[in-house]
Amino acid sequence: MIQTIAFYFFATIVVGAAVMTIMAKNPVHSVLWLILTFFNAAGLMVMVGAEFIAMLLVIVYVGAVAVLFLFVVMMLDIDFAAMRAGFIRNVPLGLAIAAVLLAELLLAVGAYNAGGIVLGAPDGSAMQAADVSNIEALGALLYGRYILLFEIAGIILLVAMIGAIVLTLQPSKPGARARQDVGKQIRRRPEDATVMKNPEIGQGVEL
Amino acid sequence: MTAFFQSLGLSYEWAWTAATFAGIIVISLLVMFAVAMVIYVDRKVLGAIMMRRGPNVVGPFGLLQSFADGLKVFLQETIIPSAANKGIFLLAPIITFTVALAAWAVIPFDAGVVLADINVGLLYILAISSMGVYGVVMAGWASNSKYPFFSAMRASAQMISYEVSIGFVLVCVVLFAGTFNLSGIVNEQRGFGLGFINAYVVHPLLFPMWVVFFISSLAETARAPFDLTEAESELVAGYQTEYSSMSFALFWLGEYANILLMCSLNTLLFWGGWLPPLDWAPLYYVPGIIWFLLKTFVFFFMFSWIWATVPRYRYDQLMRLGWKVFLPMSLLFVAATSGYLMAIGHFA
């Protein structure tokens, strides 16, 4: 009973917020609706017992990606007239994407009605429901059977990260702004920077 | 508590729902009361360090000052700037406040005294605290004013930076404990140091991580010396500038609830939570919740103390500390900790 109520609650909000994400006129509102979608999708994940995935969904998508997204959206100067200008030109592309998505949806529903794929172990036997927590089960798989794929994914991410750093790295030109020397800043003491003067009345101070 | 509601004739799932709701209300009220009290403590400590008296008029020793302030704020007029984005402007303080309370669901106050004893407790806290930045960003953007917007930018960059090193510190603790469950982490600390000290912090690999965590928790809650989001001399009052009345109070309460949460996390992860400091039988006669509150209070005192004594960081220093000092250091300690634990056969 409660599970049903909770499921429909989360599911309705996910669908509603997803619709609002693409319907909202203001891009910032879109991002906020998107965050609501992620958050409620995490709720659905909790309901199917995948609490680890749910937490990762919130940490990764809501926490990191969406914050960066919000940054970009808020920093951009949004010109609604310019955004609408390309509407007619982009209609065919939009329709094509919509057609592909619709076909995929129909295919998925059709395949499901024809009988879903039964997950099984490599030797053909049905998968046993593990008696361990999510994290342990995932960890055993990722660091056991799929260790190679996991490491490859890690290396690819590392390369991407280094690439991003190299792209933004600019060698400092001579005559550009002086680089900060943090050690020098920390070593600075009041005696080096200030002098005590006790001038006569009416006299200036020579520094 | 579920059993109590079942005895009233409810079926198990409705009894569970009722018990959970009751638990939520009790915890929220207690946290709110604690927040009111620590705001008083904060002002008293600040007053004492600055050789002032602090609040001393309302009630005995000024104890009711926070409630008087609450009433005053409640009676004020709510002002919404005409250029503000009204919906988001009103939503922002609600999100800050809700998120600050939601994190308390997984905090164990004593053995078994926890609303949701879930396996991913620590991840839940990370997830909820990453939500916290939205209240600030939304407030800054919706106010449609320069200073709040600058403040929101600063706050989001600051929180993201320090969450990274907090994440790695938590990995070190989890490596030792072998669980993400907060009660489990506390139980693992029983007799951890030399067989009689109930705290992770005594370990030479974990003490530096606690220091990193403590400083990061200052930055994460935007407390001095990292209170650049509300630097009065530059940004008026930061993202709260345009807020008044209850919408301002919600930010204020949420901020202090977050500070208390960070103090209790310090307690739970490194200082043995509800366990007494030493694994010695007579100390266990003191209820666990007393130890928990005492330790949390000590950390809150340290927060106030730091607020009163250190000058504010510059923004580039803040970023340097987060990315160039804490991040490499905590990464190194993750490698060192896992190497050490493999070497002594901890995982076998």
Side-chain angles (χ1 to χ4, degrees), chain B residues 2 4-16 18-19:
Chain B
T2 310
F4 167 72
F5 281 102
Q6 265 179 315
S7 71
L8 296 180
L10 289 167
S11 72
Y12 175 75
E13 54 179 11
W14 286 111
W16 181 86

Side-chain angles (χ1 to χ4, degrees), chain A residues 74, chain B residues 92 135-145 148-152 239 243:
Chain A
M74 295 201 330
Chain B
V136 176
V137 171
M138 285 162 74
W141 182 77
S143 297
N144 204 355
S145 164
F149 190 69
F150 284 144
S151 162
Y239 57 90
Y243 284 88

Side-chain angles (χ1 to χ4, degrees), chain A residues 1-3 5 26 28-29 32 35 39 51-52 55-56 58-59 61-64 66-68 70-71 74-75 133 135 180 182 185-186, chain B residues 13-14 16-17 85 88 118-120 123-124 126-128 130-131 133-134 137-138 141 149 152-153 156-157 160 178 180 314 316-317 320:
Chain A
M1 180 62 191
I2 293 171
Q3 285 91 332
I5 294 174
N26 191 330
V28 175
H29 292 179
L32 295 176
I35 293 160
F39 205 64
E51 71 261 14
F52 183 65
M55 292 307 147
L56 282 195
V58 175
I59 293 172
Y61 283 93
V62 177
V67 164
L68 293 178
L70 209 57
F71 252 106
M74 295 201 330
M75 287 301 194
S133 76
I135 306 172
Q180 284 191 29
V182 176
Q185 288 181 2
I186 293 172
Chain B
E13 54 179 11
W14 286 111
W16 181 86
T17 313
N85 196 318
I88 298 183
I118 53 177
N119 275 328
V120 288
L123 285 175
Y124 172 82
L126 266 184
I128 288 295
S130 69
M131 283 295 292
V133 69
Y134 281 105
V137 171
M138 285 162 74
W141 182 77
F149 190 69
M153 290 288 113
S156 40
I160 296 170
F180 275 102
R314 230 172 38 214
D316 62 310
Q317 292 174 326
R320 177 179 166 272

Side-chain angles (χ1 to χ4, degrees), chain B residues 222-291:
Chain B
R223 276 289 279 211
F226 306 109
D227 56 345
L228 284 138
T229 54
E230 325 168 10
E232 305 88 355
S233 48
E234 307 157 32
L235 295 177
V236 195
Y239 57 90
Q240 307 164 347
T241 305
E242 305 290 343
Y243 284 88
S244 60
S245 176
M246 274 316 278
S247 52
F248 171 74
L250 287 182
F251 273 123
W252 199 34
L253 295 173
E255 207 171 281
Y256 272 93
N258 267 333
I259 291 168
L260 275 184
L261 181 80
M262 277 300 176
C263 295
S264 59
L265 276 185
N266 270 297
T267 308
L268 289 170
L269 297 177
F270 291 98
W271 291 85
W274 66 79
L275 298 172
L278 299 178
D279 197 14
W280 181 45
L283 291 176
Y284 283 96
Y285 286 113
V286 180
I289 189 154
I290 302 278
W291 287 118

